Amino acid sequence: MKIGFYLDNAKKDISALRAIVRHKGQRYTISIGESVVPKYWNDKNYRCRTVRDYPEASHINIRLDDWADLIENAINAFGLIVPTPKMLREKIDETIRNRNIEAGGIIENEAEQ
C-alpha cells in the first residue's frame, strides 16, 4: 500500500491536499480537508517543509501522519477484501465519527441523539 499527499492546485495561493492511495491494483483519491501554501510543499516527501516562515508546517505534517494512519487502518480493516472507493470513504467517515464521539467532540446530527 502506498499513501501520498498531493496538492490539488499548485497555482493557487493556498492549495487543498488530497491523499492518493494505491492498494492491490486500486487507486483511491481522498479529500482530506487540509490545505497548505504550495511554496512550502515538498513533493518528494509528501509533507510541508518546516521552515521559520511557515510555523503551521509541523502541525500540518502531524495531521497528515494521522490521516495516513487512519487510511491504512481503514483499508486493513477490510482484510482480504479490496474495498471500492465508496466502501473506503464510508469506513474513514465511520472511524472519524467514532473518534469524535470518544473524544467528546461534535458529531453530525448530534441533536437527533
Side-chain angles (χ1 to χ4, degrees):
M1 173 182 339
K2 180 181 176 197
I3 301 172
F5 297 97
Y6 298 88
L7 296 173
D8 197 35
N9 187 346
K11 295 180 181 178
K12 289 187 175 182
D13 291 338
I14 296 177
S15 175
L17 291 173
R18 292 178 292 149
I20 296 183
V21 182
R22 289 181 173 81
H23 175 67
K24 293 186 179 179
Q26 291 291 321
R27 182 177 183 269
Y28 306 96
T29 301
I30 302 165
S31 179
I32 60 171
E34 297 288 338
S35 57
V36 67
V37 176
K39 73 178 186 176
Y40 297 114
W41 185 250
N42 184 334
D43 287 325
K44 293 179 183 170
N45 296 336
Y46 308 115
R47 298 288 188 272
C48 289
R49 279 189 258 123
T50 51
V51 293
R52 185 179 304 153
D53 295 342
Y54 196 57
E56 300 89 20
S58 59
H59 300 294
I60 292 170
N61 288 339
I62 290 169
R63 288 193 302 269
L64 292 178
D65 290 340
D66 194 33
W67 270 105
D69 289 342
L70 186 140
I71 292 167
E72 187 172 341
N73 290 337
I75 288 176
N76 289 337
F78 288 101
L80 296 176
I81 298 170
V82 178
T84 65
K86 183 180 178 185
M87 290 168 64
L88 179 58
R89 185 73 234 180
E90 288 172 355
K91 185 67 175 171
I92 290 170
D93 290 343
E94 175 187 334
T95 303
I96 291 171
R97 194 170 28 259
N98 289 340
R99 284 186 181 184
N100 280 332
I101 291 169
E102 289 172 11
I106 297 173
I107 57 173
E108 293 178 17
N109 304 323
E110 188 171 30
E112 295 175 9
Q113 296 180 1

